[in-house]
C-alpha cells in the first residue's frame, strides 16, 4: 500500500494526547495519592475499587471500541475522547461523594478506552509507515512517559502555589482548595490538546480513505482471529504489562528492603519516570535498524535476568550500587517490551485497515493485569515479611518474563524472515 507519511508533529500530537487522556484518572492520583485520599475522604481500598470499576469498563471498551477505530478517522475519535475526559474533570473538581466518584471512574473507563485506545495505536502505526514502526512506538511510549512526568511536576508546582502555610501543616480545606486548581488546570490542558488534535492531526485524504472501512464484517473479524500474531500478542502484551505493573513496587522495595526514608523512596520512583522515555526512544531507533521481533525477544530476556537478581535475595540494604543497577536492568527489559509490542503488528501481517479491530481483541486479554496484577502483588507482599514478600513478587516477574519470552521467540520465528508489507483487505 502506498503511503504519504504524516508530518512529524502528527506523532507529537499522538504522544501528547496519549498521556494527557490519563492525567485525570491516573497521573494525579499517582502523584498526589495522600492528598486524594484526604480531600475525597477515601481509604486505599475505596480508591482501589474506583480503579477496578475503571478496569472493568475498560475491558469491555477494548473489545467494542476497536472496531470503531476502523470506521472513523483517529483525529476525530481522539479529540472527542479528550474533551469528554476533561468534562469529567469538572465533576472531579467538585469533590463528589464516593458513589459519584465510582460512576466517574466508570465514565473515564469509557472515554479513555472505547473512544481512544485503538485510535491512538492506529494513528501511531500510520505515522510509522513501512519502515519506522519501532521508532513510532518507541517514541510513543517514551514520549508518554516524559509527558506524564512533566504533568506531575506542573501539578506539584500549582499545588504549592495555592498552599499558604507549610505543606506539612496544611489543613484539609487548604489542600482541597489547592488540589481543585490542579484538577481544573489539568482539565483545561487536556481540552486544549483535544483542540490541537482536531485542528492539526490530519493526514493525506487518500491515506485516510485507505485506513477507514465503511463497515466491519464478520468475515473481517474472523480474518483477524485467524492470524497467529494476534493470539501471540495477547500473551506477549499480558506478560509485558505484568512487568510494567510490577515496576510500581520499586519505591516500596527501597523503603522495606533498602531502608530508605519516604523522600529517598520517592526519588527511586522519579528515577523510573525518566528512564522510560530514554529507553523508549533508544530501543525504537535500534529496532528499526534490525528487526523489531528480535529486540522484543531480547527485552523479555533482559527482564527475566533482572527479575532473578531481585528474586535471588542478593540485593540488601548494603548493596546500593547493585540495587540501582538491577533496577536499570529490569526497567530496560520492561520498558523496551512495552515500547515494541505493538510495533511488531506490521511484521505479524495484521492489516493496517483492521488495526483497531485487532487492537481491541488483543487488548481484551493483554490488559487483564489491570484486574489481577495489583491484588496478586498485594497478596504476595502481605503474606510474607520483607524482603521475602518482595522476592516472591520478582519470582512472579521472572515467570511472566519467561512465558512472554517464549511467545516472543515463537513470534520472531514465524515472522522474522517474512516481508513486512501491509496486507490488502477487501472493503466489501
Amino acid at each position: 500500500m502506498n503511503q504519504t507519511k504524516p508530518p512529524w508533529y502528527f506523532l507529537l500530537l499522538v504522544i501528547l494526547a496519549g498521556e494527557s487522556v490519563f492525567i485525570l484518572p491516573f497521573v494525579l492520583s499517582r502523584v498526589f495519592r495522600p492528598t486524594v485520599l484526604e480531600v475525597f475522604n477515601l481509604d486505599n481500598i475505596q480508591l482501589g475499587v474506583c480503579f477496578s470499576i475503571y478496569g472493568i469498563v475498560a475491558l469491555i471498551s477494548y473489545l467494542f471500541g476497536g472496531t470503531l477505530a476502523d470506521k472513523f478517522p483517529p483525529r476525530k475519535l481522539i479529540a472527542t475522547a479528550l474533551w469528554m475526559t476533561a468534562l469529567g474533570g469538572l465533576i472531579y473538581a467538585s469533590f463528589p461523594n464516593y458513589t459519584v466518584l465510582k460512576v466517574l471512574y466508570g465514565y473515564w473507563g469509557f472515554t479513555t478506552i472505547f473512544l481512544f485506545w485503538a485510535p491512538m495505536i492506529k494513528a501511531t502505526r500510520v505515522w510509522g509507515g513501512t519502515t519506522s514502526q519501532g521508532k513510532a512506538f518507541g517514541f510513543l511510549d517514551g514520549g508518554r512517559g516524559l509527558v506524564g512526568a512533566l504533568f506531575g511536576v506542573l501539578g506539584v508546582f500549582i499545588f504549592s502555589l495555592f498552599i499558604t502555610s507549610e505543606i506539612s501543616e496544611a489543613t484539609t480545606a487548604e489542600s482541597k482548595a489547592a488540589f481543585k486548581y490542579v484538577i481544573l488546570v489539568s482539565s483545561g490542558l487536556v481540552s486544549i490538546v483535544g483542540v490541537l488534535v482536531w485542528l492539526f492531526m490530519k493526514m493525506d485524504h487518500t491515506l485516510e480513505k485507505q485506513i477507514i472501512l465503511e463497515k466491519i464484517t464478520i468475515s473481517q473479524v474472523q480474518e483477524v482471529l485467524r492470524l497467529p500474531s494476534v493470539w501471540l500478542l495477547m500473551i506477549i502484551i499480558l506478560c509485558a504489562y505484568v512487568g510494567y505493573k510490577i515496576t510500581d513496587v520499586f519505591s516500596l522495595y527501597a523503603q522495606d528492603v533498602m531502608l530508605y526514608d519516604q523522600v529517598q523512596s520517592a526519588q527511586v520512583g522519579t528515577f523510573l519516570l525518566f528512564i522510560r522515555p530514554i529507553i523508549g526512544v533508544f530501543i525504537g531507533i535500534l529496532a528499526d535498524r534490525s528487526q523489531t521481533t528480535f529486540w522484543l525477544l531480547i527485552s523479555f530476556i533482559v527482564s527475566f535476568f533482572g527479575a532473578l537478581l531481585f528474586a535471588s535475595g542478593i540485593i540488601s540494604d548494603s548493596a546500593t550500587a547493585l540495587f540501582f543497577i538491577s533496577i536499570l536492568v529490569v526497567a530496560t527489559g520492561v520498558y523496551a517490551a512495552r515500547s515494541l509490542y505493538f510495533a511488531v503488528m506490521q511484521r505479524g501481517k495484521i492489516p493496517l485497515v483492521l488495526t483497531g479491530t485487532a487492537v481491541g481483541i488483543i487488548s481484551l486479554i493483554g490488559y487483564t493485569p489491570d484486574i489481577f496484577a495489583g491484588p496478586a502483588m498485594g497478596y504476595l507482599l502481605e503474606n510474607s515479611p520483607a524482603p521475602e514478600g518482595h522476592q516472591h513478587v520478582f519470582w512472579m516477574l521472572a515467570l511472566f518474563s519467561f512465558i512472554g519470552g517464549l511467545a516472543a521467540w515463537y513470534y520472531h520465528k514465524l515472522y522474522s524472515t517474512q516481508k513486512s508489507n501491509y496486507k490488502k483487505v477487501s472493503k466489501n
Side-chain angles (χ1 to χ4, degrees), residues 99-322:
T99 301
V100 175
L101 196 62
K102 288 187 287 186
V103 173
L104 178 61
Y105 266 85
Y107 168 80
W108 276 334
F110 172 80
T111 63
T112 62
I113 301 300
F114 183 81
L115 295 171
F116 185 88
W117 185 250
M120 179 188 73
I121 301 300
K122 189 166 187 175
T124 307
R125 194 175 170 196
V126 167
W127 186 89
T130 56
T131 59
S132 303
Q133 290 293 299
K135 189 188 297 180
F137 283 97
F139 281 16
L140 175 67
D141 196 63
R144 285 181 61 201
L146 183 59
V147 170
L150 293 176
F151 258 102
V153 170
L154 177 64
V156 171
F157 174 71
I158 293 168
F159 187 80
S160 62
L161 278 181
F162 291 95
I163 293 288
T164 53
S165 59
E166 288 292 324
I167 290 178
S168 59
E169 299 172 359
T171 64
T172 300
E174 286 177 314
S175 295
K176 183 176 284 191
F179 193 58
K180 183 171 185 173
Y181 283 105
V182 174
I183 297 170
L184 291 175
V185 170
S186 298
S187 299
L189 289 173
V190 173
S191 297
I192 290 169
V193 173
V195 172
L196 293 174
V197 166
W198 184 272
L199 293 177
F200 300 110
M201 209 182 91
K202 296 177 180 178
M203 62 183 76
D204 181 84
H205 183 66
T206 304
L207 174 59
E208 187 170 288
K209 285 182 67 177
Q210 288 175 324
I211 67 165
I212 299 299
L213 294 171
E214 291 184 10
K215 63 178 181 178
I216 310 295
T217 64
I218 295 297
S219 64
Q220 287 166 337
V221 175
Q222 290 173 338
E223 179 183 352
V224 170
L225 287 171
R226 283 194 295 267
L227 294 168
S229 53
V230 168
W231 295 94
L232 285 169
L233 277 173
M234 288 181 188
I235 301 168
I236 288 167
I237 292 176
L238 186 150
C239 294
Y241 198 53
V242 167
Y244 180 69
K245 302 293 278 187
I246 285 177
T247 59
D248 287 347
V249 308
F250 277 129
S251 57
L252 187 62
Y253 188 100
Q255 179 178 288
D256 292 349
V257 180
M258 303 303 291
L259 307 180
Y260 289 5
D261 61 30
Q262 288 188 14
V263 173
Q264 291 171 322
S265 299
Q267 288 170 342
V268 171
T270 305
F271 175 60
L272 282 168
L273 284 177
F274 288 96
I275 289 176
R276 182 179 164 192
I278 295 169
I279 292 170
V281 171
F282 177 76
I283 197 69
I285 294 172
L286 190 64
D288 278 338
R289 292 184 175 179
S290 50
Q291 292 191 55
T292 49
T293 53
F294 172 74
W295 288 104
L296 180 61
L297 170 59
I298 293 297
S299 68
F300 278 110
I301 293 172
V302 171
S303 176
F304 175 74
F305 282 106
L308 291 183
L309 287 171
F310 282 98
S312 66
I314 63 172
I315 302 172
S316 65
D317 59 336
S318 61
T320 302
L322 182 60

